[in-house]
Amino acid sequence: MASRPPTGSVTIEDVAREAGVSRAAVSKVIRNAYGVSPAMKARVTEAIEKLGYRPSVSARGMRGATFTVGFEIPELSNPFFPKLLEGATAALSDSPYQLIIAPADPAHAEGYRAIQALVDRKVDGVIAVSPMVDPAWLDALAATVPVVMIGRHDRLSAYDTVVSDDAAGAHLVMRHLLDLGHRDIVHLTPESGLAGVGSGVPQAIRLASYREAMQDAGFGDRIRVVRSPNGEPEARRVALQLLAEPDRPTAVFASHDEPALGVLHAVADAGLTPAEVSVAGYDDIQIAAHPGISLTTVDQHGEVMGRLAAELLLERIAGRSETRHEVVRPDLVVRTSTRPPRPRGGAARLRAVGRT
């Protein structure tokens, strides 16, 4: 009986011969192309596994396909991004594609450099989370390589998008806080949130929804937006200053969970409780559900978003040309960090804490 060829020496012709199909058919199955029947896919997959076939990366690169997918994220420390990666990895698990992750360089936080590095390495497509990259630049990029953007509310674009319904999610938070009886609600947003709704940036849409909810409830004169970086320590410092003021809010709605955790830290430092200052976030990162945290937040279903992005990219790689924009409906997760407001008191004590 003939011995099995060593891994790497098996050719696509060997697979075609074993499966009893053409070389082109094997190529279609490997590329997960449209028009491949389940029976054909099963025969070719069985032959690939039997022979131990592994396509040559260098050969695929010369033919224009490397079976790699690039995934750019703004940073490694944000605990929401692993949800996106988990969903994308699951979607690619039954395909021949391997995910390559590229975090943005802190000195080039917009994401241009990381995305370009992936393209330079001949990935077959790019998934990116870069809210500040210019849409025109992305359109030009999408003309050369399939692109799916996560979190970009860009409807008139050459690339696909997957977004959470950020307006609906922010309104869920605001309706919850208003129904509890809060009137003095502060919104914490990063610099990107001030870019304006037309920018397509999620934080800008959440900010606009906060303003709209306050106006509709008759509290337009109480709108207060505080700029804060996304990180927990920075948000804590900002929140301590906020809580030390005589007109401190009864509730804080942060555009992300990380700054919301910083606000919770500041609330504890100031000797306050959720009944005195409620805190709500956005993302539903894993630690938000911890009993010691119990953060009210918006679950924008990161795993679903990541899976959809990967599926759209595979379709693009396989030949789809029409643009698609997918919107994921978020859910409010109510926990103990938000409660009805208690009558104010102890302003002098808070001012003292703020000076320490």
Side-chain angles (χ1 to χ4, degrees):
M1 184 174 64
S3 62
R4 174 174 167 174
T7 299
S9 66
V10 179
T11 67
I12 195 170
E13 286 79 8
D14 295 328
V15 175
R17 191 178 306 109
E18 177 69 28
V21 299
S22 67
R23 184 184 188 282
V26 175
S27 178
K28 282 186 176 182
V29 171
I30 293 173
R31 289 185 292 109
N32 200 29
Y34 284 135
V36 177
S37 68
M40 175 74 74
K41 183 176 181 179
R43 287 168 62 188
V44 172
T45 300
E46 182 180 354
I48 287 174
E49 293 176 352
K50 178 180 178 180
L51 298 177
Y53 173 65
R54 288 181 58 82
S56 166
V57 172
S58 59
R60 289 180 306 193
M62 288 186 289
R63 293 197 306 270
T66 61
F67 293 103
T68 56
V69 168
F71 201 128
E72 179 273 337
I73 56 176
E75 56 184 336
L76 289 172
S77 60
N78 190 319
F80 175 68
F81 296 138
K83 290 189 171 188
L84 300 176
L85 294 171
E86 182 181 341
T89 301
L92 296 173
S93 63
D94 290 332
S95 79
Y97 292 90
Q98 174 64 45
L99 201 64
I100 297 177
I101 302 168
D105 182 342
H108 304 85
E110 299 89 349
Y112 291 98
R113 184 175 179 179
I115 295 173
Q116 190 61 59
L118 289 169
V119 175
D120 290 345
R121 282 156 180 77
K122 306 298 184 183
V123 295
D124 295 331
V126 173
I127 302 170
V129 187
S130 292
M132 301 309 293
V133 171
D134 179 48
W137 187 86
L138 289 172
D139 273 335
L141 181 70
T144 64
V145 62
V147 175
V148 178
M149 297 300 297
I150 296 180
R152 290 288 298 250
H153 294 259
D154 301 328
R155 303 293 297 183
L156 302 175
S157 58
Y159 46 88
D160 296 340
T161 61
V162 176
V163 298
S164 169
D165 190 337
D166 290 289
H171 276 291
L172 287 173
V173 174
M174 291 303 297
R175 176 48 50 202
H176 169 64
L177 293 175
L178 291 166
D179 285 348
L180 286 175
H182 292 281
R183 303 296 178 258
D184 294 306
I185 306 170
V186 166
H187 183 58
L188 246 61
T189 187
E191 187 71 32
S192 58
L194 305 175
V197 176
S199 67
V201 176
Q203 296 86 350
I205 294 173
R206 295 169 198 173
L207 170 56
S209 298
Y210 157 78
R211 292 183 181 276
E212 182 180 350
M214 290 291 282
Q215 289 281 4
D216 290 348
F219 306 122
D221 59 336
R222 301 190 186 190
I223 290 174
R224 188 174 181 189
V225 179
V226 176
R227 187 181 310 177
S228 171
N230 276 330
E232 181 180 343
E234 297 87 350
R236 178 193 173 203
R237 288 194 291 270
V238 170
L240 276 173
Q241 296 173 356
L242 185 66
L243 297 177
E245 297 175 0
D247 59 343
R248 65 170 171 81
T250 64
V252 177
F253 167 29
S255 63
H256 289 287
D257 281 353
E258 276 196 291
L261 294 177
V263 178
L264 282 176
H265 199 159
V267 169
D269 287 343
L272 299 169
T273 69
E276 292 164 302
V277 180
S278 289
V279 181
Y282 206 108
D283 285 338
D284 197 27
I285 61 177
Q286 186 174 2
I287 198 172
H290 189 284
I293 303 294
S294 194
L295 176 67
T296 293
T297 183
V298 175
D299 183 0
Q300 55 178 329
H301 304 294
E303 294 91 346
V304 175
M305 296 174 71
R307 176 179 57 77
L308 280 173
E311 289 174 351
L312 290 178
L313 193 65
L314 289 177
E315 291 177 7
R316 280 284 196 175
I317 293 171
R320 175 174 55 81
S321 58
E322 68 276 10
T323 303
R324 285 181 55 185
H325 303 287
E326 296 289 339
V327 180
V328 178
R329 183 77 180 182
D331 292 304
L332 180 68
V333 182
V334 177
R335 299 190 178 103
T336 60
S337 69
T338 51
R339 298 181 185 175
R342 180 184 297 170
R344 296 172 185 257
R349 175 168 59 88
L350 290 179
R351 285 196 293 273
V353 170
R355 289 196 296 270
T356 60

